[in-house]
Amino acid sequence: AELMVGVGRELLDKGDAERAVSAFERARELHPANLGAITDLGVALSQLERDDEAVELSSEAIDSVAGGELLRFNRGNATRRLGNLDQAITDYRRCLEFLPEWNDVRVNLVSTLQMNGDLDDADAEIELLASHDAPPELIEMLRENLEEARG
């Protein structure tokens, strides 16, 4: 299974998401609970604008695969693209309960809160990012975006 995950990742790196999906699906046939295969399959599906399938895949695995809670990041990204901001926010927050220092999740949470009009919550998350030693340039950019949103 790991070999097929590696092949899939190489295909993704080369921009061939369609063939990457096939490799990750083969990895799942060999080892259905392989978190790497599930994660990367979701990424590849999203790259192909098949976010509904990515959401379904993540939803099935969240409670059934070791480490599945981390798939809330992928599901949050896909549900955000589908316009379900409340679900994305919930997923990002649940993911951060497990890994509060995962800055990528918190950045996506900030932008989604901002999109949803939850500007005070976005501001609080920016402060948490700053306390987790996120790059100062990132914090500055997020604060500028927030100020623009406040108008």
Side-chain angles (χ1 to χ4, degrees):
E2 289 303 318
L3 177 64
M4 292 308 299
V5 170
V7 168
R9 287 178 180 159
E10 286 181 23
L11 290 166
L12 265 183
D13 289 344
K14 293 177 181 175
D16 191 349
E18 194 69 51
R19 288 182 53 215
V21 165
S22 296
F24 296 132
E25 287 174 340
R26 178 67 180 129
R28 288 197 64 218
E29 289 171 10
L30 297 169
H31 190 272
N34 184 301
L35 185 61
I38 296 167
T39 300
D40 292 335
L41 176 56
V43 169
L45 289 169
S46 287
Q47 286 185 6
L48 294 169
E49 298 181 7
R50 293 164 52 185
D51 286 313
D52 287 332
E53 292 174 62
V55 168
E56 183 179 334
L57 173 73
S58 296
S59 295
E60 290 172 0
I62 283 171
D63 295 324
S64 63
V65 174
E69 283 293 327
L70 301 178
L71 291 169
R72 289 183 181 280
F73 180 52
N74 286 14
R75 187 171 74 180
N77 291 339
T79 56
R80 183 175 71 169
R81 282 188 295 276
L82 291 169
N84 189 345
L85 301 182
D86 290 333
Q87 180 62 53
I89 289 166
T90 298
D91 279 333
Y92 294 143
R93 285 191 167 141
R94 290 284 306 275
C95 191
L96 287 167
E97 289 174 13
F98 291 90
L99 280 174
E101 68 282 356
W102 193 357
N103 288 344
D104 291 343
V105 178
R106 200 166 302 278
V107 168
N108 287 15
L109 176 58
V110 167
S111 67
T112 307
L113 287 166
Q114 188 173 321
M115 291 167 63
N116 206 38
D118 301 326
L119 304 183
D120 290 339
D121 287 348
D123 190 36
E125 293 297 334
I126 292 170
E127 294 310 314
L128 282 171
L129 264 171
S131 73
H132 287 139
D133 296 324
E137 312 81 44
L138 174 63
I139 300 301
E140 182 180 337
M141 180 195 70
L142 291 171
R143 286 181 176 147
E144 288 173 5
N145 290 342
L146 185 59
E147 287 309 310
E148 286 178 26
R150 289 188 194 275

